[in-house]
């Protein structure tokens, strides 16, 4: 079964804004609680062959996941491929867009994740061997809060500063629009605004060009 990820970002900036949001989340009727706190490395890839990736990755997947992965790689558009290390786990993440926005940062996306029993460097090498190239390497510290099916992730990102993601994962594409509207209403209640896609893309582009300056550091840039 394919899963559909609805994710809306808001740029918080300084730590004080993140702390203020946390206080509002605890006081909100949904009463969000902390689910996890971890540091992550995320490596984004570009170019490469979806067909070759499909061929090499399926040798590491169980049958049920192979079906989902094949569907995404053959029917999806604007694939975003990344590897992640968090809490000692190494994960392959592939996302495809469900609308005209990008699969890297868009609001509505189909998502595939699978844990691999190997190091991050080894999983990266699988992608590099089928002609993918590094787009950028990202580092962040994440606090994930939850209430029911709603997840709010407050990230301290190298380059970006504090960013928050409002997320729900749903099994039915027909629920995409109503889920988006629910999250927009929640954001308004908590006093945060969506980071416009055009500004997000400018930030993403800037980071990708200069990522070695920021990866693993406390440095932050501002892009209007």
């Amino acid at each position: 079964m394919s899963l559909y990820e609805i994710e809306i970002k808001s740029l918080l900036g300084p730590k004080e804004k993140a702390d203020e949001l946390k206080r509002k989340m605890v006081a909100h009727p949904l009463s969000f609680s902390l689910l996890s706190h971890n540091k992550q490395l995320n490596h984004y890839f570009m170019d490469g062959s979806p067909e070759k990736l499909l061929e090499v990755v399926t040798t590491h997947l169980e049958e049920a996941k192979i079906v989902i992965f094949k569907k995404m790689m053959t029917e999806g558009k604007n694939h975003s491929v990344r590897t992640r290390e968090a809490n000692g786990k190494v994960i392959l993440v592939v996302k495809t867009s469900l609308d005209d926005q990008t699969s890297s940062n868009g609001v509505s996306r189909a998502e595939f994740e699978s844990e691999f029993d190997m190091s991050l460097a080894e999983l990266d090498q699988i992608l590099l061997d089928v002609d993918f190239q590094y787009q950028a390497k990202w580092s962040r510290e994440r606090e994930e809060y939850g209430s029911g099916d709603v997840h709010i992730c407050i990230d301290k990102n190298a380059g970006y500063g504090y960013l928050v993601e409002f997320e729900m994962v749903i099994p039915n594409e027909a629920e995409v629009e109503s889920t988006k509207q629910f999250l927009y209403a929640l954001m308004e209640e908590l006093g945060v605004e969506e980071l416009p896609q055009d500004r997000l893309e400018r930030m993403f582009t800037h980071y990708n060009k200069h990522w070695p300056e920021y990866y693993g550091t406390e440095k932050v840039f501002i892009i209007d």
Side-chain angles (χ1 to χ4, degrees):
M1 178 178 65
S2 297
L3 296 176
Y4 302 91
E5 175 193 55
I6 310 303
E7 179 185 281
I8 306 173
K9 296 180 174 68
S10 178
L11 184 62
L12 299 175
K15 182 178 184 297
E16 291 75 17
K17 292 288 187 180
D19 291 340
E20 180 183 357
L21 175 60
K22 292 176 193 177
R23 289 192 291 269
K24 290 181 178 179
M25 287 162 50
V26 172
H28 190 273
L30 289 179
S31 187
F32 288 92
S33 59
L34 181 65
L35 301 179
S36 65
H37 183 186
N38 60 67
K39 293 184 178 181
Q40 296 185 4
L41 300 178
N42 287 279
H43 296 173
Y44 281 61
F45 291 81
M46 61 183 183
D47 301 329
S49 165
E51 293 78 16
K52 289 182 180 179
L53 180 62
L54 175 61
E55 181 180 343
V56 69
V57 167
T58 51
T59 63
H60 297 272
L61 299 177
E62 57 192 48
E63 188 60 36
K65 287 193 173 184
I66 290 175
V67 174
I68 298 171
F69 192 63
K70 282 184 176 179
K71 181 178 177 64
M72 284 191 61
M73 297 305 291
T74 56
E75 298 180 10
K77 58 182 179 179
N78 302 322
H79 296 90
S80 172
V81 179
R82 69 196 75 169
T83 57
R84 175 180 300 153
E85 180 179 281
N87 291 335
K89 296 180 180 180
V90 174
I91 301 168
L92 174 69
V93 182
V94 179
K95 302 186 180 186
T96 60
S97 57
L98 299 178
D99 48 32
D100 293 330
Q101 298 174 348
T102 69
S103 55
S104 297
N105 295 308
V107 171
S108 307
R109 298 177 288 185
E111 179 181 46
F112 173 88
E113 288 191 6
S114 185
E115 185 178 346
F116 281 64
D117 186 18
M118 60 182 68
S119 69
L120 183 64
E122 289 170 330
L123 181 54
D124 283 1
Q125 193 60 50
I126 288 177
L127 302 183
L128 296 171
D129 286 344
V130 289
D131 302 324
F132 280 85
Q133 300 178 43
Y134 285 119
Q135 182 180 30
K137 295 182 179 181
W138 299 69
S139 54
R140 69 184 177 197
E141 184 173 356
R142 163 167 285 189
E143 292 182 5
E144 182 177 0
Y145 295 81
S147 176
D149 295 330
V150 184
H151 290 251
I152 300 178
C153 296
I154 298 178
D155 295 336
K156 182 183 179 184
N157 286 289
Y160 283 19
Y162 283 90
L163 185 83
V164 58
E165 299 177 352
F166 291 76
E167 178 181 319
M168 293 182 69
V169 177
I170 55 178
N172 189 343
E173 189 172 359
E175 300 174 11
V176 166
E177 190 57 36
S178 61
T179 302
K180 286 166 60 175
Q181 295 310 313
F182 172 82
L183 290 178
Y184 282 129
L186 175 61
M187 292 172 67
E188 184 175 0
E189 292 168 4
L190 293 173
V192 297
E193 297 181 353
E194 181 181 12
L195 177 59
Q197 283 290 313
D198 57 348
R199 185 182 180 194
L200 179 57
E201 284 304 309
R202 288 194 295 273
M203 293 169 59
F204 190 65
T205 298
H206 177 84
Y207 184 91
N208 287 341
K209 289 181 178 178
H210 304 281
W211 68 265
E213 299 176 26
Y214 299 101
Y215 181 65
T217 75
E218 300 283 327
K219 293 181 180 179
V220 174
F221 60 81
I222 297 176
I223 299 290
D224 292 326

